[in-house]
Amino acid sequence: MPGGRLTQQERQQIALGLADGLAYAEIARRLDRPTSTITREVMRNGGPTAYRADLAHRATERRAHRRKQAAPRNVQAPPQAYGRDAEAVREYQETLTTVLMGSGAPKMMARVLACLYTTDAGSLTAADLVQRLQVSPASVSKAIAFLEEQGLVRRERDERRRERYVVDDDVWYQSMMASARGTAQLGETARQGVGVLGRGTPAATRLENIARFVDFVSESIARAADQAREVLHAKSAAASDDTAAE
């Protein structure tokens, strides 16, 4: 499997593959590259609908030039457990970050989430995040505030009274429920507009359709989140019982 940076010809093949509706894995197979490389390349350069080979190649050259000009940092990578390849972990974190950005998360928030998701403990302190991401404490604080507002992280105190930021299965449940509540609020607001604009008018009919649609979506999200939580908890309990039996 070849390594190194993607060539301009490979980027043209990626663009052709996207135009043909190929999955990232299939494009990667044809180029003999890791799927993560293709995912990161596409998400970093406009996403599957806006990717352009020539623009992506020039953007990569500019980034490489900026890195050469930047002063080198004495960054010590955190030790990897379970015999993991540190470079593979770093590349995966970068891929996860770009995918999270593609789903709408701002860059720093996506970096913090990717860092938290790939820790075995599922939690880090502000100092840990500053060291791992090589950013300012203010950047971490702003990112955490945003993620907490979205229900994607929660805070807790450890035995040394340090504040830790946590991601776990329940955080995702709470995030989905917050999303359902926000969607339901949109439906309620749309329904208020029906009375203001006059029931039966084109504008009111449009808002009424919006309200019905988002009501259905919010109820579906909440129901699916409850079901997923019950299934996950049941599996966790069963796995604990099996471990205890051994």
Side-chain angles (χ1 to χ4, degrees):
M1 183 174 292
R5 294 176 184 168
L6 290 165
T7 66
Q8 190 162 16
Q9 184 178 8
E10 285 178 315
R11 290 191 167 93
Q12 290 170 350
Q13 292 300 312
I14 291 172
L16 290 172
L18 292 172
D20 289 341
L22 299 181
Y24 294 154
E26 176 58 22
I27 297 173
R29 187 189 66 78
R30 295 186 180 192
L31 293 177
D32 196 21
R33 291 276 191 171
T35 302
S36 61
T37 298
I38 307 304
T39 303
R40 184 167 61 249
E41 167 70 14
V42 175
M43 297 306 297
R44 183 184 282 171
N45 294 288
T49 59
Y51 183 84
R52 299 292 181 272
D54 54 344
L55 297 179
H57 195 70
R58 287 199 293 270
T60 301
E61 289 181 336
R62 287 195 299 270
R63 286 193 294 266
H65 182 66
R66 286 197 298 267
R67 281 196 293 267
K68 287 180 180 178
Q69 289 183 322
R73 291 173 172 174
N74 184 21
V75 180
Q76 184 177 3
Q80 295 295 326
Y82 303 102
R84 294 174 181 137
D85 183 322
E87 181 62 18
V89 171
R90 185 196 65 77
E91 287 189 2
Y92 173 73
Q93 287 177 335
E94 193 172 327
T95 298
L96 181 56
T97 297
T98 57
V99 171
L100 290 169
M101 289 171 62
S103 68
K107 183 176 181 179
M108 182 52 61
M109 291 62 173
R111 292 187 69 198
V112 168
L113 271 184
C115 195
L116 284 167
Y117 287 159
T118 52
T119 59
D120 290 304
S123 69
L124 292 168
T125 65
D128 292 332
L129 288 166
V130 166
Q131 180 182 16
R132 291 176 182 231
L133 299 176
Q134 290 295 295
V135 295
S136 68
S139 295
V140 169
S141 178
K142 183 178 179 181
I144 289 296
F146 174 87
L147 294 171
E148 191 173 28
E149 183 179 338
Q150 302 299 312
L152 292 171
V153 300
R154 61 181 172 83
R155 301 170 189 248
E156 66 179 28
R157 295 279 181 179
D158 62 17
E159 66 280 358
R160 295 171 58 185
R161 304 298 299 163
R162 296 176 305 178
E163 195 169 69
R164 302 188 71 87
Y165 309 123
V166 182
V167 291
D168 55 22
D169 294 336
D170 201 57
V171 163
W172 270 107
Y173 170 77
Q174 296 299 336
S175 175
M176 289 296 101
M177 296 305 289
S179 175
R181 288 192 294 272
T183 305
Q185 181 62 44
L186 172 60
E188 181 60 31
T189 303
R191 193 169 286 105
Q192 291 172 7
V194 173
V196 174
L197 296 169
R199 187 176 297 278
T201 64
T205 299
R206 183 182 306 112
L207 287 174
E208 190 165 12
N209 289 336
I210 291 172
R212 289 174 178 171
F213 177 82
V214 297
D215 280 349
F216 180 84
V217 170
S218 63
E219 290 170 6
S220 298
I221 290 173
R223 185 165 54 251
D226 283 331
Q227 291 173 347
R229 191 187 200 195
E230 290 176 5
V231 169
L232 286 173
H233 285 187
K235 287 184 176 180
S236 297
S240 298
D241 291 342
D242 290 344
T243 302
E246 291 177 0

